[in-house]
mmCIF file of all heavy atoms in Angstrom:
data_model
loop_
_atom_site.group_PDB
_atom_site.id
_atom_site.type_symbol
_atom_site.label_atom_id
_atom_site.label_comp_id
_atom_site.label_asym_id
_atom_site.label_seq_id
_atom_site.Cartn_x
_atom_site.Cartn_y
_atom_site.Cartn_z
ATOM 1 N N PRO Z 503 4.508 15.769 -3.490
ATOM 2 C CA PRO Z 503 5.271 16.771 -4.255
ATOM 3 C C PRO Z 503 4.338 17.931 -4.631
ATOM 4 O O PRO Z 503 3.251 17.697 -5.146
ATOM 5 C CB PRO Z 503 5.714 15.999 -5.509
ATOM 6 C CG PRO Z 503 4.691 14.927 -5.675
ATOM 7 C CD PRO Z 503 4.282 14.544 -4.274
ATOM 8 N N PRO Z 504 4.753 19.154 -4.349
ATOM 9 C CA PRO Z 504 3.831 20.278 -4.587
ATOM 10 C C PRO Z 504 3.427 20.383 -6.059
ATOM 11 O O PRO Z 504 4.278 20.357 -6.942
ATOM 12 C CB PRO Z 504 4.652 21.498 -4.174
ATOM 13 C CG PRO Z 504 5.757 20.968 -3.332
ATOM 14 C CD PRO Z 504 6.038 19.590 -3.810
ATOM 15 N N LYS Z 505 2.131 20.538 -6.283
ATOM 16 C CA LYS Z 505 1.626 20.621 -7.664
ATOM 17 C C LYS Z 505 2.098 21.872 -8.378
ATOM 18 O O LYS Z 505 2.120 21.937 -9.596
ATOM 19 C CB LYS Z 505 0.094 20.613 -7.666
ATOM 20 C CG LYS Z 505 -0.505 19.240 -7.624
ATOM 21 C CD LYS Z 505 -1.903 19.234 -8.217
ATOM 22 C CE LYS Z 505 -2.882 20.063 -7.427
ATOM 23 N NZ LYS Z 505 -3.124 19.550 -6.075
ATOM 24 N N LYS Z 506 2.473 22.891 -7.589
ATOM 25 C CA LYS Z 506 2.932 24.131 -8.227
ATOM 26 C C LYS Z 506 4.208 23.892 -9.037
ATOM 27 O O LYS Z 506 4.563 24.700 -9.892
ATOM 28 C CB LYS Z 506 3.157 25.219 -7.176
ATOM 29 C CG LYS Z 506 4.281 24.881 -6.227
ATOM 30 C CD LYS Z 506 4.528 25.947 -5.180
ATOM 31 C CE LYS Z 506 5.732 25.509 -4.356
ATOM 32 N NZ LYS Z 506 5.980 26.253 -3.162
ATOM 33 N N LEU Z 507 4.910 22.782 -8.766
ATOM 34 C CA LEU Z 507 6.128 22.478 -9.531
ATOM 35 C C LEU Z 507 5.805 21.957 -10.935
ATOM 36 O O LEU Z 507 6.687 21.846 -11.768
ATOM 37 C CB LEU Z 507 6.983 21.439 -8.790
ATOM 38 C CG LEU Z 507 7.534 21.855 -7.429
ATOM 39 C CD1 LEU Z 507 8.345 20.721 -6.804
ATOM 40 C CD2 LEU Z 507 8.401 23.106 -7.548
ATOM 41 N N PHE Z 508 4.547 21.618 -11.165
ATOM 42 C CA PHE Z 508 4.162 21.094 -12.488
ATOM 43 C C PHE Z 508 3.731 22.242 -13.389
ATOM 44 O O PHE Z 508 2.760 22.937 -13.117
ATOM 45 C CB PHE Z 508 3.020 20.083 -12.351
ATOM 46 C CG PHE Z 508 2.606 19.484 -13.678
ATOM 47 C CD1 PHE Z 508 3.243 18.356 -14.175
ATOM 48 C CD2 PHE Z 508 1.590 20.065 -14.445
ATOM 49 C CE1 PHE Z 508 2.874 17.803 -15.410
ATOM 50 C CE2 PHE Z 508 1.218 19.526 -15.671
ATOM 51 C CZ PHE Z 508 1.867 18.391 -16.149
ATOM 52 N N ASP Z 509 4.468 22.428 -14.472
ATOM 53 C CA ASP Z 509 4.125 23.446 -15.469
ATOM 54 C C ASP Z 509 3.434 22.723 -16.629
ATOM 55 O O ASP Z 509 4.071 21.926 -17.334
ATOM 56 C CB ASP Z 509 5.413 24.137 -15.932
ATOM 57 C CG ASP Z 509 5.134 25.166 -17.034
ATOM 58 O OD1 ASP Z 509 4.016 25.154 -17.611
ATOM 59 O OD2 ASP Z 509 6.048 25.955 -17.330
ATOM 60 N N PRO Z 510 2.147 22.998 -16.841
ATOM 61 C CA PRO Z 510 1.407 22.279 -17.884
ATOM 62 C C PRO Z 510 2.010 22.444 -19.276
ATOM 63 O O PRO Z 510 1.926 21.531 -20.102
ATOM 64 C CB PRO Z 510 0.005 22.891 -17.823
ATOM 65 C CG PRO Z 510 -0.106 23.457 -16.452
ATOM 66 C CD PRO Z 510 1.274 23.912 -16.079
ATOM 67 N N LYS Z 511 2.631 23.607 -19.538
ATOM 68 C CA LYS Z 511 3.241 23.804 -20.863
ATOM 69 C C LYS Z 511 4.407 22.829 -21.051
ATOM 70 O O LYS Z 511 4.582 22.231 -22.107
ATOM 71 C CB LYS Z 511 3.737 25.240 -21.013
ATOM 72 C CG LYS Z 511 2.629 26.266 -21.168
ATOM 73 C CD LYS Z 511 3.178 27.556 -21.775
ATOM 74 C CE LYS Z 511 2.097 28.612 -21.878
ATOM 75 N NZ LYS Z 511 1.841 29.292 -20.575
ATOM 76 N N LYS Z 512 5.214 22.709 -20.001
ATOM 77 C CA LYS Z 512 6.324 21.743 -20.066
ATOM 78 C C LYS Z 512 5.787 20.321 -20.090
ATOM 79 O O LYS Z 512 6.307 19.451 -20.789
ATOM 80 C CB LYS Z 512 7.261 21.943 -18.869
ATOM 81 C CG LYS Z 512 8.058 23.237 -18.953
ATOM 82 C CD LYS Z 512 8.924 23.422 -17.716
ATOM 83 C CE LYS Z 512 9.768 24.699 -17.864
ATOM 84 N NZ LYS Z 512 10.425 25.071 -16.605
ATOM 85 N N GLY Z 513 4.745 20.101 -19.296
ATOM 86 C CA GLY Z 513 4.126 18.773 -19.248
ATOM 87 C C GLY Z 513 3.611 18.356 -20.622
ATOM 88 O O GLY Z 513 3.752 17.200 -21.032
ATOM 89 N N HIS Z 514 3.030 19.314 -21.340
ATOM 90 C CA HIS Z 514 2.527 19.058 -22.699
ATOM 91 C C HIS Z 514 3.641 18.513 -23.583
ATOM 92 O O HIS Z 514 3.488 17.495 -24.259
ATOM 93 C CB HIS Z 514 1.982 20.375 -23.264
ATOM 94 C CG HIS Z 514 1.560 20.299 -24.701
ATOM 95 N ND1 HIS Z 514 0.313 19.874 -25.077
ATOM 96 C CD2 HIS Z 514 2.238 20.601 -25.844
ATOM 97 C CE1 HIS Z 514 0.225 19.912 -26.409
ATOM 98 N NE2 HIS Z 514 1.383 20.349 -26.890
ATOM 99 N N ARG Z 515 4.780 19.188 -23.509
ATOM 100 C CA ARG Z 515 5.931 18.783 -24.325
ATOM 101 C C ARG Z 515 6.438 17.394 -23.911
ATOM 102 O O ARG Z 515 6.737 16.537 -24.741
ATOM 103 C CB ARG Z 515 7.039 19.840 -24.183
ATOM 104 C CG ARG Z 515 8.328 19.512 -24.903
ATOM 105 C CD ARG Z 515 8.135 19.509 -26.418
ATOM 106 N NE ARG Z 515 9.282 18.902 -27.069
ATOM 107 C CZ ARG Z 515 10.328 19.596 -27.534
ATOM 108 N NH1 ARG Z 515 10.363 20.898 -27.417
ATOM 109 N NH2 ARG Z 515 11.327 18.983 -28.115
ATOM 110 N N MET Z 516 6.507 17.208 -22.599
ATOM 111 C CA MET Z 516 7.035 15.925 -22.095
ATOM 112 C C MET Z 516 6.152 14.758 -22.530
ATOM 113 O O MET Z 516 6.651 13.754 -23.053
ATOM 114 C CB MET Z 516 7.122 15.958 -20.566
ATOM 115 C CG MET Z 516 8.211 16.871 -20.033
ATOM 116 S SD MET Z 516 8.190 16.921 -18.218
ATOM 117 C CE MET Z 516 8.938 18.531 -17.931
ATOM 118 N N TYR Z 517 4.858 14.888 -22.304
ATOM 119 C CA TYR Z 517 3.962 13.789 -22.676
ATOM 120 C C TYR Z 517 4.116 13.414 -24.151
ATOM 121 O O TYR Z 517 4.186 12.243 -24.517
ATOM 122 C CB TYR Z 517 2.497 14.164 -22.416
ATOM 123 C CG TYR Z 517 2.016 13.951 -20.992
ATOM 124 C CD1 TYR Z 517 1.309 14.953 -20.322
ATOM 125 C CD2 TYR Z 517 2.226 12.749 -20.314
ATOM 126 C CE1 TYR Z 517 0.842 14.762 -19.018
ATOM 127 C CE2 TYR Z 517 1.763 12.559 -19.013
ATOM 128 C CZ TYR Z 517 1.079 13.562 -18.373
ATOM 129 O OH TYR Z 517 0.611 13.373 -17.098
ATOM 130 N N HIS Z 518 4.199 14.450 -24.997
ATOM 131 C CA HIS Z 518 4.285 14.141 -26.433
ATOM 132 C C HIS Z 518 5.655 13.596 -26.822
ATOM 133 O O HIS Z 518 5.748 12.709 -27.675
ATOM 134 C CB HIS Z 518 3.856 15.353 -27.260
ATOM 135 C CG HIS Z 518 2.372 15.562 -27.193
ATOM 136 N ND1 HIS Z 518 1.482 14.732 -27.835
ATOM 137 C CD2 HIS Z 518 1.616 16.450 -26.494
ATOM 138 C CE1 HIS Z 518 0.240 15.115 -27.558
ATOM 139 N NE2 HIS Z 518 0.296 16.150 -26.739
ATOM 140 N N ASP Z 519 6.709 14.088 -26.178
ATOM 141 C CA ASP Z 519 8.032 13.477 -26.405
ATOM 142 C C ASP Z 519 7.991 11.995 -26.033
ATOM 143 O O ASP Z 519 8.507 11.139 -26.758
ATOM 144 C CB ASP Z 519 9.097 14.157 -25.527
ATOM 145 C CG ASP Z 519 9.631 15.451 -26.134
ATOM 146 O OD1 ASP Z 519 9.235 15.760 -27.283
ATOM 147 O OD2 ASP Z 519 10.409 16.154 -25.466
ATOM 148 N N TYR Z 520 7.380 11.718 -24.893
ATOM 149 C CA TYR Z 520 7.388 10.343 -24.372
ATOM 150 C C TYR Z 520 6.552 9.417 -25.261
ATOM 151 O O TYR Z 520 6.932 8.269 -25.516
ATOM 152 C CB TYR Z 520 6.887 10.314 -22.928
ATOM 153 C CG TYR Z 520 7.753 11.111 -21.951
ATOM 154 C CD1 TYR Z 520 7.244 11.543 -20.725
ATOM 155 C CD2 TYR Z 520 9.072 11.431 -22.258
ATOM 156 C CE1 TYR Z 520 8.027 12.260 -19.835
ATOM 157 C CE2 TYR Z 520 9.859 12.162 -21.374
ATOM 158 C CZ TYR Z 520 9.328 12.581 -20.163
ATOM 159 O OH TYR Z 520 10.109 13.292 -19.292
ATOM 160 N N LEU Z 521 5.409 9.932 -25.711
ATOM 161 C CA LEU Z 521 4.599 9.116 -26.627
ATOM 162 C C LEU Z 521 5.357 8.874 -27.938
ATOM 163 O O LEU Z 521 5.337 7.769 -28.488
ATOM 164 C CB LEU Z 521 3.255 9.805 -26.893
ATOM 165 C CG LEU Z 521 2.263 9.751 -25.718
ATOM 166 C CD1 LEU Z 521 1.128 10.749 -25.923
ATOM 167 C CD2 LEU Z 521 1.690 8.346 -25.530
ATOM 168 N N ASP Z 522 6.057 9.924 -28.411
ATOM 169 C CA ASP Z 522 6.872 9.760 -29.622
ATOM 170 C C ASP Z 522 7.946 8.687 -29.403
ATOM 171 O O ASP Z 522 8.240 7.891 -30.304
ATOM 172 C CB ASP Z 522 7.562 11.085 -29.994
ATOM 173 C CG ASP Z 522 6.585 12.098 -30.590
ATOM 174 O OD1 ASP Z 522 5.460 11.695 -30.960
ATOM 175 O OD2 ASP Z 522 6.937 13.294 -30.663
ATOM 176 N N GLU Z 523 8.537 8.701 -28.208
ATOM 177 C CA GLU Z 523 9.599 7.721 -27.924
ATOM 178 C C GLU Z 523 9.042 6.294 -27.975
ATOM 179 O O GLU Z 523 9.672 5.385 -28.527
ATOM 180 C CB GLU Z 523 10.238 8.014 -26.557
ATOM 181 C CG GLU Z 523 11.158 9.239 -26.612
ATOM 182 C CD GLU Z 523 11.361 9.951 -25.273
ATOM 183 O OE1 GLU Z 523 11.115 9.333 -24.210
ATOM 184 O OE2 GLU Z 523 11.765 11.138 -25.294
ATOM 185 N N LEU Z 524 7.871 6.096 -27.398
ATOM 186 C CA LEU Z 524 7.291 4.754 -27.411
ATOM 187 C C LEU Z 524 6.862 4.360 -28.831
ATOM 188 O O LEU Z 524 7.003 3.200 -29.235
ATOM 189 C CB LEU Z 524 6.116 4.665 -26.427
ATOM 190 C CG LEU Z 524 6.541 4.676 -24.948
ATOM 191 C CD1 LEU Z 524 5.327 4.754 -24.026
ATOM 192 C CD2 LEU Z 524 7.377 3.447 -24.594
ATOM 193 N N GLU Z 525 6.373 5.318 -29.581
ATOM 194 C CA GLU Z 525 6.018 5.010 -30.983
ATOM 195 C C GLU Z 525 7.274 4.664 -31.790
ATOM 196 O O GLU Z 525 7.263 3.784 -32.647
ATOM 197 C CB GLU Z 525 5.266 6.185 -31.609
ATOM 198 C CG GLU Z 525 3.884 6.371 -30.981
ATOM 199 C CD GLU Z 525 2.963 7.246 -31.821
ATOM 200 O OE1 GLU Z 525 3.433 7.842 -32.817
ATOM 201 O OE2 GLU Z 525 1.773 7.332 -31.468
ATOM 202 N N PHE Z 526 8.371 5.365 -31.470
ATOM 203 C CA PHE Z 526 9.644 5.082 -32.125
ATOM 204 C C PHE Z 526 10.088 3.649 -31.813
ATOM 205 O O PHE Z 526 10.625 2.933 -32.675
ATOM 206 C CB PHE Z 526 10.691 6.103 -31.665
ATOM 207 C CG PHE Z 526 12.043 5.977 -32.316
ATOM 208 C CD1 PHE Z 526 12.159 5.906 -33.702
ATOM 209 C CD2 PHE Z 526 13.203 5.963 -31.551
ATOM 210 C CE1 PHE Z 526 13.418 5.812 -34.302
ATOM 211 C CE2 PHE Z 526 14.459 5.870 -32.144
ATOM 212 C CZ PHE Z 526 14.564 5.785 -33.521
ATOM 213 N N ALA Z 527 9.830 3.216 -30.579
ATOM 214 C CA ALA Z 527 10.187 1.844 -30.184
ATOM 215 C C ALA Z 527 9.416 0.820 -31.021
ATOM 216 O O ALA Z 527 9.928 -0.262 -31.309
ATOM 217 C CB ALA Z 527 9.914 1.632 -28.699
ATOM 218 N N VAL Z 528 8.204 1.167 -31.427
ATOM 219 C CA VAL Z 528 7.447 0.271 -32.311
ATOM 220 C C VAL Z 528 8.169 0.173 -33.658
ATOM 221 O O VAL Z 528 8.378 -0.924 -34.187
ATOM 222 C CB VAL Z 528 5.997 0.775 -32.504
ATOM 223 C CG1 VAL Z 528 5.242 -0.123 -33.490
ATOM 224 C CG2 VAL Z 528 5.258 0.840 -31.169
ATOM 225 N N ASP Z 529 8.601 1.339 -34.182
ATOM 226 C CA ASP Z 529 9.331 1.339 -35.454
ATOM 227 C C ASP Z 529 10.622 0.535 -35.357
ATOM 228 O O ASP Z 529 11.067 -0.071 -36.343
ATOM 229 C CB ASP Z 529 9.674 2.781 -35.881
ATOM 230 C CG ASP Z 529 8.426 3.578 -36.233
ATOM 231 O OD1 ASP Z 529 7.430 2.957 -36.659
ATOM 232 O OD2 ASP Z 529 8.432 4.816 -36.046
ATOM 233 N N LEU Z 530 11.242 0.563 -34.183
ATOM 234 C CA LEU Z 530 12.519 -0.142 -34.002
ATOM 235 C C LEU Z 530 12.341 -1.644 -33.822
ATOM 236 O O LEU Z 530 13.316 -2.384 -33.790
ATOM 237 C CB LEU Z 530 13.265 0.432 -32.789
ATOM 238 C CG LEU Z 530 13.817 1.857 -32.938
ATOM 239 C CD1 LEU Z 530 14.328 2.363 -31.589
ATOM 240 C CD2 LEU Z 530 14.917 1.927 -33.984
#
Side-chain angles (χ1 to χ4, degrees):
Chain Z
K505 275 205 296 295
K506 65 180 183 191
L507 297 179
F508 181 87
D509 177 346
K511 288 199 183 79
K512 290 177 177 169
H514 174 85
R515 176 66 193 266
M516 289 177 206
Y517 276 132
H518 287 288
D519 278 355
Y520 298 160
L521 287 165
D522 286 346
E523 285 155 20
L524 288 173
E525 292 196 352
F526 183 51
V528 177
D529 293 332
L530 291 171

